Amino acid sequence: MRFLSLKIGYRTLKTAIGTAVSILLAQQFDLMFPSSAGIITILCIQVTVKQSFRTVGNRILASLLGLGIGMALFTLLGYSPLAIMLAILIFLPLAVRFGIQEGFITSMVVMFHLYSSQRMDAALIANELALLLIGVGVALIVNLYMPSLDKELKTMQGQVEMNFVRILKEFAYYLRHGESEWDGREMIETPGLLDKAVQLASRSVDNRLGKRDEDPYHQYFAMRDKQFELLERMMPIVSTLDTQVPQGHQIADFLERLSDSVHPGNTAYRFLDQLRVMRHEIKETGLPTSREEFETRASLFILLREIERYLFIKHELGKNSDEKTGQALAE
């Protein structure tokens, strides 16, 4: 009963189907060593479409290199273990030099077929090339289908935004009251969440063979990652502002409004305008009457500068993508 409850992943299912199809095709073409076509398919199925194309290319090149080295050594030294040893010693440094070392197993499969057959005629070479083409071809075909990651990315987007909202609201609360019972959980949780989201967005891009800097989700999480660095810089500034001043309450109100507008759309330009007005108003207020108030006012201006940088990152994303990124994410 426990076996029946096991889940089969897409990659496992594709590997099983692709292996069976490769062996079946090799048998239908009456090729020698048909199971090797299945082995090649197993080796070529990867996590993303882009990785599969790269792996297929590397394995084809490695197999051709191994075939050439094997034929040369078998001709010179005969079909002996010494020839196999020298072939490996020659092949690996060359494969590393050309960046195709992941094709080592595939190339050895081809070379051992020559060794086992004790011949190198045109029919056997054609057989090996056919096995290689069937194995990599089937792998590419079955790996073209990749389940969409948009649902997972959307969920992670929501989690990141909820954490940003909580962080900004807690900053505002502290500025108003000079104390807080917040445990800072979101500050600890968010970096790991962003790392996972960026990796998942990269996988999604690789499955579509697109460019990362043009993908809306990849742009979005990269932007949030930069913004979070600024939130980390703001936190020690906020935590030292235990002296209550009217300017601190102004910034708290601003952060409260900002927390209510954490979403994929680009509204940063509005807040940048409000920030400039507020900074001007604070500058126009009376001079500090004590050293403590002076230090608090100075810290508030540093905080305003960090908030401005936080907003500018979002503003630049919206401007560079002509706001298409925010619209795509909001759909």
Side-chain angles (χ1 to χ4, degrees), residues 28-96:
Q28 291 298 312
F29 285 107
D30 200 24
L31 299 178
M32 297 174 60
F33 316 109
S35 60
S36 297
I39 293 173
I40 294 171
T41 296
I42 291 171
L43 293 171
C44 289
I45 292 178
Q46 299 294 315
V47 177
T48 67
V49 174
K50 187 175 288 186
Q51 286 179 352
S52 289
F53 274 98
R54 186 183 64 247
T55 297
V56 163
N58 288 341
R59 293 192 186 281
I60 290 174
L61 292 175
S63 297
L64 294 176
L65 177 62
L67 185 62
I69 293 172
M71 291 175 66
L73 289 174
F74 291 150
T75 300
L76 292 172
L77 303 174
Y79 298 95
S80 66
L82 177 62
I84 293 292
M85 182 187 75
L86 291 176
I88 293 173
L89 290 174
I90 294 171
F91 172 83
L92 279 175
L94 288 174
V96 172

Side-chain angles (χ1 to χ4, degrees), residues 157-197:
Q157 175 191 317
Q159 292 172 339
V160 168
E161 290 178 358
M162 284 176 60
N163 283 5
F164 271 52
V165 169
R166 178 69 187 276
I167 291 168
L168 290 170
K169 285 187 180 297
E170 289 297 337
F171 284 179
Y173 184 91
Y174 194 89
L175 287 172
R176 286 198 187 100
H177 304 283
E179 59 181 4
S180 173
E181 296 181 359
W182 180 43
D183 60 6
R185 178 179 60 84
E186 288 77 11
M187 294 296 297
I188 299 171
E189 178 185 286
T190 303
L193 185 59
L194 284 170
D195 285 343
K196 290 179 182 178

